[in-house]
Amino acid sequence: MSRRLDVQAEWHRVSPKYVLVVLVSSLVSGVVAGAIAAVIWLIMQVSWGWLLLVAVGIVTVVTLIVAPRRARSIGYALRDDDLLFRRGIMFQRFVAVPYGRMQLIDITRGPVGRALGLADLKFVTAAASTAVAIPGLPEADAGELRDRLVELAESRRAGL
Amino acid sequence: MSVPLGGADPGSAAPGTRVPVTDAPAVARMADGEWHRLHPLTPLLRGGIGLVAVLGIVLANLRERLVDMFLSVFGVDESQQGGNDYAGDPIDQIYQHGLVGWALLALAVLLVLAIALFYLAWRMHSFRIGDDAVEVRSGVINRRHRKARLDRIQGVNVSRPLFPRIFGTAKLEVSVAGQDANVELAYLGSQLADGLRRDILLRASGAAAAASGQSLQPAAPGQSLQPAAPGQSQQPAAPGQSLQPAGPASAQNRASELITRRLNEFVRPELDPDAAPPHSVVSIPPARLIGSIVISEFTVFLLIAVGLVVAGASTGRYWLLVAVLPGVIGSASFYLRRFTRSINYSIAGTPDGVRVGFGMLSTSNETLPPGRIHALEVMQPLLWRPFGWWQIRIDTAGKSKQKGAAGQPNTTMLPVGNADDVARVLALALSAFATEQNRLLIQAGMTARADAPAPGAGPLFSAAPRSAAVLRPFSWRRTGYRIADGIVLLRTGAVWRRLVIVPLARLQSVEVRQGPLRRSLHLAQARLHTVYGPVATSLPVIADSDAFPFFTAVADGAIDAAESDRSHRWNTPA
C-alpha cells in the first residue's frame, strides 16, 4: 500500500533476548497504569473508571503484541565513516552520525537487561537531539562495540 | 611576581608603580605565559552589587528613623507620641547601654576585615595566557584553577557593563563549548582587554605559532596576519594613545585627559579601527530599530489585551485598570531594554572572525572565530514583511554569559536589517559560501514564493510534493532544501519565512523519520542535528523518494567537510 523507508546497509540487529526486556517493561507499566485506573474506578468511585481500565488493557495488549517487531526493528550499521542507526515500525527513524562527532559513549544496564546479560549503548554527540541509543546488546558485544567506536572516532577526530 | 594590571590605565595606577607609557608593550607583556593580576578596582566592581544590596538593607531597616530625623530637622516634633517607638531597636539599645565605642570598633574591624579579604581575593586571582591555553586561578579558601585550550575557543567577548565602564574597565570572556565553561577575566583595563582579545585570537588562530616558527623575533600583534587581512591598515597607535603625555603632566591635566578618554570610549563604536574594515559594517538606523521592536507579535498581543481591558472598564469594571497597571509598566521597560541593548549595533569582519557589538550604556562585543557558527537562520516575521526586514540568529557551541542584542541570549547576529544587510552579514558569517554565485540561491531561499526555476539551470531548491499541502497548506511550495558548497540550506515557512543554513563541517548528525500520517501521504521528515540553540534545523515535509538521497548526500557531505575542516586553527598555513 505504501512505500516504507529503507536503507541498504549491513544491519546488525539487537539480541533476540531484548524482546523479553521490552515485554517485561511494558507489562510492568501496564500493571502500574491498570492499578491507577482500578483505584480511580473502585476506590474513588468515578463512574467512567472502567473505561480507563479497558483502555489501559487494550494499550498494554497491543504493546505486548508489537513488542517483538519493535525490538527487531532496532538496528545499527558500521559504515566506513559513520554509524547508521534505525528503529521503529510505525514511527521510523534513521540517523547517521559521523564517528568523529563522538563526544562520549555510555553503557547502561537495567535490572531486567542485567539478568539477561544485556546492556544499552548510547552514542553522545554535541547535539542532544542525536539520541542514538542501541539497546539490548550482549554485554561483551557492547564493550567491544564501544572500544571499536572510540577507536574509529579517534582516527577521525574532528572539531566540534 | 607581577605588576598589577593598572598598567593600561595610568589614571588609576599609583604613580610609584611601573606604569608603561604605551599599551602595546603592556599587552605584549600580558600574554607572555606569566601569571598576572586583574585590575586593582576589581573587588570594588565585583562587590559593587553586594555593597549596594547591603546599603539597601540598612536603609530599609532604618527608614523610619531616617524619616523621623528628616522631619525633626524641619521642626516637626513627633517626640511626644513617637518617642518610644524604637525601644527594641539595636541602635537605641547600643546608645542606652553606652556601647557606642564598642559598636564603632566592631564596625571598623569588620570593615578592615572585609577590605583585607577583598585584597586577598584580588591577590589570589590571577590569569595566564600561554601559547596554547588561557588559565585563571582564583579563590582564597577554595582554590580554583581553570585552563582552556586556545584551539577550542568558541568566541571571545569583551563586555563593559555600565558601572565598570565608568571606571574604564572591561570584562573579557573566553567561551568554550560546555555548560558554564567560560573563562572570565573580570575586570581588566579597557584597552588592555581589547589588546588581550587580539592576542588570544592571534594565538588561537595558529598564526602566532606559524610566525614564531619562521622567525625567532617575537611576533607583534596584528603583523603576522598579513595573508588573511589584505588592506588592513597598520596603525600602531590605538585611539587614546596619542593622549599620553611624554613628560610628567600636572594632576589636573591628567584628570581632564582621563575624562576625555572616558568620554571618547563612551561615544566611539566598539570596534578596533585597525581590525575592522569600516565598509563592511552594518548599522541599524534608530528609527528602524524602534520600528522593529514596536512592530512585533508582542505588540499585537499587548494591543488586544489593552482593548479587552478598555472594553471591560467601559462597562464599569474599573478594577481592571488597576490590575493591568504592573503589566503595562513591565512591557514599557521591556521595550526600553530591548532598545538600549540593541542600539549601537555593529558588525564587522576581522581577520579572526566576525565581531558583533551592541549596547548603549552597557556594551558587549563578541568575536566569533571562523567556523564557530553551527547553524544560521534568516527569518522574517509576518509583521516585518511590508518593511522588508529580516533577523539573523545563530547556534554556537559556547555561549557568553552576557546577554546579547535585544536582551536575548547571545544568539542574535542581526537584530533587524534589510535584504542588503542580510547579504553583508552572511558574507561575513559564512564567507566561503555567501559568494556572488550563490547570491541567487540565498535570495530564492529568503523570498521566493514557490520554486521558480533559475534561468538555464534546474530548480534551486528541492520541492515538496503536492500531497504536502495537507500538512503545510501555505508553505508546502516553499519547503525544500539545497546542498551546495559544503552547506545545507533549508527553506521553510510562507507566513513566517525562514531560511536555515547549516555548514556541513559543523553538523553532528542527520535524521530522517516517518510516521503513519506522512507515510500515507508519501512524505517524510528530515532533521539536522546541531548544538543547542534557537535555530530549528528541520524540514517538516520532504518527498519520501527524496528522503534518502537527502540523507545520504548530507551524511557523506558531513564526513567530507569534517575531514577538510581546518577552522580550529583558522590561520595556520595548510
Side-chain angles (χ1 to χ4, degrees):
Chain A
M1 154 207 123
S2 59
R3 291 173 286 175
R4 305 184 63 80
L5 295 179
D6 205 3
V7 179
Q8 291 309 312
E10 211 180 296
W11 291 109
H12 298 272
R13 298 296 173 174
V14 303
S15 161
K17 280 190 281 182
Y18 178 65
V19 177
L20 216 57
V21 180
V22 181
L23 285 177
V24 168
S25 66
S26 39
L27 209 58
V28 166
S29 51
V31 166
V32 169
I36 292 170
V39 164
I40 290 175
W41 180 31
L42 296 173
I43 296 179
M44 290 167 74
Q45 303 282 335
V46 180
S47 56
W48 44 264
W50 65 275
L51 272 175
L52 215 60
L53 196 60
V54 169
V56 167
I58 291 173
V59 167
T60 308
V61 168
V62 169
T63 324
L64 289 176
I65 291 171
V66 298
R69 284 195 65 195
R70 257 178 61 205
R72 275 202 301 273
S73 75
I74 300 167
Y76 65 94
L78 298 172
R79 295 201 294 193
D80 285 345
D81 293 297
D82 57 359
L83 172 71
L84 217 54
F85 174 75
R86 72 179 293 173
R87 75 174 302 160
I89 327 157
M90 281 295 270
F91 295 89
Q92 281 184 295
R93 180 170 188 265
F94 292 84
V95 182
V97 202
Y99 296 126
R101 294 301 184 202
M102 185 197 88
Q103 298 294 324
L104 62 93
I105 287 190
D106 252 349
I107 289 190
T108 53
R109 270 168 297 209
V112 184
R114 197 161 43 205
L116 296 167
L118 298 181
D120 303 345
L121 183 143
K122 198 170 168 200
F123 189 104
V124 180
T125 69
S129 44
T130 297
V132 170
I134 308 170
L137 293 168
E139 275 176 25
D141 287 9
E144 218 170 89
L145 180 61
R146 174 194 55 200
D147 296 343
R148 174 111 183 87
L149 287 173
V150 169
E151 190 188 303
L152 285 166
E154 206 48 57
S155 63
R156 291 161 177 79
R157 169 72 37 221
L160 204 55
Chain B
M1 145 181 117
S2 62
V3 177
L5 286 200
D9 195 346
S12 62
T17 53
R18 282 189 289 146
V19 176
V21 180
T22 56
D23 287 307
V27 170
R29 217 187 51 217
M30 286 309 159
D32 56 357
E34 295 294 321
W35 289 100
H36 296 286
R37 286 196 203 103
L38 297 165
H39 196 281
L41 285 177
T42 301
L44 176 71
L45 298 171
R46 294 185 87 125
I49 294 160
L51 204 70
V52 170
V54 167
L55 262 178
I57 291 165
V58 168
L59 276 181
N61 283 323
L62 294 181
R63 187 180 52 202
E64 301 209 348
R65 182 171 287 271
L66 288 175
V67 168
D68 223 35
M69 274 163 64
F70 183 75
L71 289 178
S72 67
V73 166
F74 287 92
V76 185
D77 190 7
E78 277 189 303
S79 57
Q80 258 81 22
Q81 61 265 48
N84 257 350
D85 264 353
Y86 316 119
D89 200 273
I91 294 182
D92 277 359
Q93 291 281 333
I94 288 165
Y95 187 70
Q96 276 161 18
H97 289 86
L99 293 174
V100 177
W102 287 110
L104 283 179
L105 188 68
L107 200 67
V109 167
L110 266 180
L111 259 178
V112 168
L113 217 65
I115 290 171
L117 266 177
F118 272 132
Y119 175 73
L120 207 62
W122 174 76
R123 286 274 312 190
M124 305 288 273
H125 197 150
S126 52
F127 68 93
R128 174 163 80 171
I129 295 163
D131 280 336
D132 55 2
V134 190
E135 289 167 84
V136 176
R137 286 189 309 198
S138 63
V140 178
I141 295 161
N142 292 321
R143 297 286 287 154
R144 192 166 89 154
H145 188 157
R146 179 170 271 197
K147 184 171 182 174
R149 269 176 58 189
L150 284 177
D151 61 347
R152 292 278 157 173
I153 284 183
Q154 299 294 322
V156 181
N157 191 6
V158 174
S159 61
R160 296 176 172 83
L162 178 60
F163 190 50
R165 197 171 168 213
I166 293 167
F167 289 93
T169 55
K171 185 196 286 185
L172 184 81
E173 210 181 343
V174 178
S175 1
V176 290
Q179 199 74 39
D180 184 33
N182 292 356
V183 179
E184 203 178 81
L185 303 180
Y187 290 89
L188 298 165
S190 203
Q191 292 187 19
L192 179 66
D194 285 338
L196 274 184
R197 167 178 59 193
R198 187 178 52 197
D199 236 44
I200 288 173
L201 287 170
L202 187 72
R203 276 155 200 262
S205 73
S212 65
Q214 284 155 11
S215 60
L216 281 174
Q217 65 178 15
Q223 276 180 1
S224 47
L225 291 174
Q226 282 315 322
Q232 177 194 0
S233 60
Q234 289 295 317
Q235 279 184 297
Q241 270 182 8
S242 51
L243 293 173
Q244 293 285 346
S250 71
Q252 206 172 11
N253 261 347
R254 292 190 117 191
S256 71
E257 262 161 30
L258 190 68
I259 290 166
T260 322
R261 176 122 70 100
R262 290 279 178 283
L263 278 177
N264 280 339
E265 280 170 6
F266 256 80
V267 290
R268 132 182 105 91
E270 299 283 333
L271 286 172
D272 273 355
D274 62 333
H279 63 265
S280 62
V281 176
V282 173
S283 69
I284 304 173
R288 183 191 296 166
L289 183 61
I290 294 171
S292 75
I293 293 169
V294 171
I295 302 166
S296 65
E297 280 95 18
F298 179 73
T299 306
V300 174
F301 165 75
L302 200 68
L303 286 179
I304 291 173
V306 166
L308 286 178
V309 165
V310 168
S314 65
T315 56
R317 299 188 190 92
Y318 294 110
W319 54 269
L320 269 175
L321 290 178
V322 182
V324 297
L325 200 65
V328 171
I329 294 170
S331 25
S333 79
F334 167 79
Y335 284 129
L336 200 69
R337 205 170 49 235
R338 286 194 76 159
F339 178 74
T340 54
R341 299 240 34 155
S342 306
I343 202 165
N344 273 351
Y345 167 88
S346 70
I347 182 167
T350 72
D352 296 315
V354 190
R355 185 164 301 171
V356 184
F358 41 76
M360 188 165 70
L361 300 174
S362 298
T363 69
S364 169
N365 197 323
E366 184 162 38
T367 307
L368 284 171
R372 262 62 175 176
I373 294 171
H374 287 242
L376 182 147
E377 172 189 66
V378 185
M379 194 254 304
Q380 183 177 54
L382 178 66
L383 292 170
W384 284 10
R385 192 179 295 184
F387 307 94
W389 293 337
W390 298 84
Q391 186 174 57
I392 296 183
R393 294 191 295 185
I394 53 169
D395 281 356
T396 52
K399 282 179 193 68
S400 165
K401 267 191 275 176
Q402 289 297 310
K403 290 289 185 193
Q408 294 143 346
N410 242 353
T411 48
T412 306
M413 198 164 216
L414 176 68
V416 58
N418 55 28
D420 286 346
D421 296 340
V422 169
R424 259 177 260 160
V425 171
L426 285 181
L428 291 176
L430 304 163
S431 49
F433 169 70
T435 50
E436 193 56 31
Q437 65 202 46
N438 286 328
R439 196 173 50 86
L440 215 63
L441 194 58
I442 293 168
Q443 244 170 26
M446 279 162 65
T447 55
R449 227 171 251 277
D451 216 41
L460 290 171
F461 281 80
S462 79
R466 235 208 120 72
S467 58
V470 178
L471 292 171
R472 290 285 181 280
F474 301 113
S475 64
W476 67 274
R477 280 171 202 280
R478 247 178 77 77
T479 307
Y481 70 89
R482 170 73 185 250
I483 302 169
D485 295 349
I487 294 264
V488 188
L489 294 111
L490 305 177
R491 180 176 71 175
T492 53
V495 180
W496 277 266
R497 291 162 161 178
R498 223 176 269 277
L499 172 70
V500 173
I501 304 176
V502 180
L504 281 171
R506 299 273 82 77
L507 185 74
Q508 299 297 317
S509 51
V510 56
E511 169 186 327
V512 165
R513 64 196 312 168
Q514 188 188 47
L517 179 62
R518 284 191 168 75
R519 186 170 306 131
S520 66
L521 294 167
H522 294 299
L523 295 174
Q525 190 177 8
R527 195 164 161 202
L528 306 174
H529 299 146
T530 65
V531 295
Y532 174 76
V535 182
T537 51
S538 72
L539 205 57
V541 284
I542 181 171
D544 60 357
S545 57
D546 211 10
F548 277 110
F550 173 76
F551 185 77
T552 314
V554 170
D556 293 348
I559 292 159
D560 293 344
E563 258 168 28
S564 56
D565 183 47
R566 292 283 169 275
S567 59
H568 63 286
R569 288 280 192 206
W570 58 91
N571 256 334
T572 314

